[in-house]
Amino acid sequence: MNEENLRKLYERLGIAESPAGPPPPPLPAPLTIVEAPAAPPSPETRAAEAIYSPLERPVETRSTLSLPLLLVSIGAIVAALVLIVRQTGSPPAPPKPPVAVAPSPAPAPPFAATPTAPPVAPPEPVTPPSAPPMDPPPPPPAPPLPPELTPAEKRAARIRRNGGNDASEASVARALDWLVRHQASTGEWEAMHFERKCPLTASCQVKAAPGDPLYTPGATGLALLAFMGAGFSPSDGPHAKTISLGLAWLVEHQNSEGGITHDLRVLFYNQAVATRALCEAAALTRDDRYRSAAQKALDYLGRNQLADGGWNYFHDPGEVERNDASITGWVAFAIRAADEAGLEVPPDMKGRVRDFFVRRTDAKTGEVIYANRDPGAGRRGSGAAALGLFVRGLLGTDDPDTARKAAARVVAARPDWEKFQDAQVKSNNKEFPFSPDQNMAGWYYGTEAMYRLGGENWSAWNGAARDLLVENQVRAGHRAGSWEPELSYIGREGGRVFSTAIGVMILTIYARER
Ligand SMILES: [Zn+2]
C-alpha cells in the first residue's frame, strides 16, 4: 500500500497516526478474544449457491426442483379447497405451508454434533456474481518438468506454471527482507515488540493492531514457514542463519512434555504453527534436533486432542469443551508437514481431525461451523468453509457435492481490497470484531483449499489474491516489504509479523507439489 492510500485509510478510521510516526510504548496486551456473533447467511452465500444451481440440477433433481413442484402442488391444493368449500360450505383443515417458502432466512443454528439443516434460502432470484462457471472438468495432469533442470530451475518453473509471476516473486523477496530486519537477536519474531528493531523515528508498529506478546511462538513459526515456503533452508543458502536461529528458539522453548511456549501455558495456535515449522525443517534437513522436537510437538498435540476431535486456544481441565475449527485446521497443516517429513502422526489423530470437520460441515451449503461455543459460536465464514474443504480432502475423500458447494462459497468470497478495507473500518469502529469473509487468515485458508482443488476455482481465486497482495504491499520506509496488519482482532493479536508472514505463505503456494 502506498503512503497516500494508507493515509486515506487512517483518515477513514479516525486514527491520528502517520505511517511513519514515532513508536508507541510497549503496551501490556490482555488476551481479549472477541469473535463475531453468528450471522445469517450473507448475500455472498446465497449468491454462491446461485452459481451452482444450473450446474447441479442434473444431479440434484430432488432438491432443486422441489420448490417449483411444491408451489404447483400448493396451487392444486388451494384450487381443490375452493371447490370443496363451494360444494360443502365447510373447509377441511388448511394444509400446512411448506417450509421451502419461508420468507426470510433463519439465523444460523447453534452447533450440534450432527449438522443441522441450514436456513432455507428465500425463493426470490438472486443476481449471480461475476464468478467463473464452476464444476469444470478436472485439470489435466501437468507434464513432468525436464529432468535436466536444477532444483532452483524446477522450482521457478513450478511457480510460473501454477500461477506465480515475476511480480509475486519480487514481492516475496521484499517481505522476507522485512522479516530478516525484524527478527530478534535471540531468534524469535516478537508478535508485538518486533518494533525494537525499528529506528526510533520510523517505527513499523501500528497502535490499533500491535500484536499480542502471547503469540510470539506462533509469529516465529509463521515467519519460519514463510522462509521455508519461499524455498530457503536452515542448513544452507542466504537465509540459513535466520532460519536456524528461529528454529533454535522454538526448540529451546519446548517444555518437557513437548509443548512450545514462552509462557507457562501452551496456546494451541502457537503449538500447531510451531509444530508445522519444525516438521518442515525436519523434511528439509533430516536434522535430528528438528526431527526429535517435531515428534515431541506432534505427540503433545495428539495427547491434547479433545473428545470431539479438535483443539481450543487453551485447555483448562474442567471447562466445557470448546473445539475451534481454525486451530484444528492449523493442526491439519502440521499433520501434512509431518507426513512429508516421514514423522509419526499419533494414532487416530488424522481420522479424528477429519471426522471433526465432517461433523462440523453443513453438507447442504458446504459451510463449516467455526466453534461450538463462544467466542465465535455458530459462525460460518468462508475461511472455515475453506479449511473444511481442505481437511476433508487431505485426510480422506470428500463428498463431491459438498466440495462443489464449499468451493463456490469460498470463491464467491475471494479477496477483495475494497471489502477488506470496509471490514477494517467497521471492525475498528467496533461494529464487528472482524469480517468472517475478508481477513488475511481466511485468505490463506482459501489459498490452500483452492490450490489443492486447481482448475477454474484456483484461477479465479489466485487472480484476485495474488495481484491484490502485490499491489498493496508497503513499499517505503522501514515498513517496506511488510503488509499493514489488519485493524481487527487478528491484527491486534498477530500484528505486522502475522500479516507479512501470511502474505508470503499465500504468494509461495505455487511452489508446492499438488
Ligand atoms: Zn521496522
Side-chain angles (χ1 to χ4, degrees), residues 362-436:
D362 181 339
K364 294 184 178 171
T365 63
E367 291 183 310
V368 167
I369 296 166
Y370 163 68
N372 57 307
R373 65 174 177 83
D374 279 332
R379 198 179 68 208
R380 300 164 171 235
S382 60
L387 275 178
L389 175 62
F390 174 81
V391 174
R392 292 189 308 267
L394 177 76
L395 302 179
T397 306
D398 201 6
D399 172 64
D401 191 48
T402 308
R404 274 196 301 275
K405 287 172 179 163
R409 172 73 177 87
V410 173
V411 171
R414 59 195 177 278
D416 180 303
W417 189 252
E418 289 303 316
K419 289 180 186 169
F420 181 57
Q421 299 275 74
D422 287 344
Q424 291 186 70
V425 172
K426 288 176 183 168
S427 181
N428 198 56
N429 290 340
K430 308 292 187 285
E431 289 178 44
F432 55 82
F434 83 118
S435 161

Side-chain angles (χ1 to χ4, degrees), residues 178 181-182 194-195 197-199 202-205 478-479:
W178 186 87
R181 288 186 283 115
H182 291 83
F194 63 86
E195 65 170 338
K197 305 294 287 188
C198 302
S203 171
C204 296
Q205 188 56 286
H478 209 252
R479 300 175 181 202

Side-chain angles (χ1 to χ4, degrees), residues 318-470:
E319 70 170 2
V320 177
E321 185 177 297
R322 175 184 178 275
N323 288 259
D324 184 300
S326 175
I327 299 168
T328 307
W330 279 103
V331 174
F333 292 128
I335 289 173
R336 176 179 65 180
D339 280 343
E340 288 168 355
L343 292 159
E344 199 172 320
V345 178
D348 301 333
M349 189 162 137
K350 284 184 195 176
R352 292 178 62 213
V353 167
R354 183 175 183 277
D355 290 349
F356 165 79
F357 273 101
V358 170
R359 281 195 299 276
R360 280 289 177 85
T361 301
D362 181 339
K364 294 184 178 171
T365 63
E367 291 183 310
V368 167
I369 296 166
Y370 163 68
N372 57 307
R373 65 174 177 83
D374 279 332
R379 198 179 68 208
R380 300 164 171 235
S382 60
L387 275 178
L389 175 62
F390 174 81
V391 174
R392 292 189 308 267
L394 177 76
L395 302 179
T397 306
D398 201 6
D399 172 64
D401 191 48
T402 308
R404 274 196 301 275
K405 287 172 179 163
R409 172 73 177 87
V410 173
V411 171
R414 59 195 177 278
D416 180 303
W417 189 252
E418 289 303 316
K419 289 180 186 169
F420 181 57
Q421 299 275 74
D422 287 344
Q424 291 186 70
V425 172
K426 288 176 183 168
S427 181
N428 198 56
N429 290 340
K430 308 292 187 285
E431 289 178 44
F432 55 82
F434 83 118
S435 161
D437 276 4
Q438 294 290 339
N439 63 80
M440 290 190 82
W443 290 353
Y444 175 65
Y445 306 151
T447 298
E448 285 276 8
M450 295 299 102
Y451 184 73
R452 193 167 187 284
L453 224 52
E456 294 285 329
N457 290 300
W458 167 241
S459 300
W461 178 274
N462 187 45
R466 183 194 61 203
D467 297 345
L468 176 154
L469 284 174
V470 171

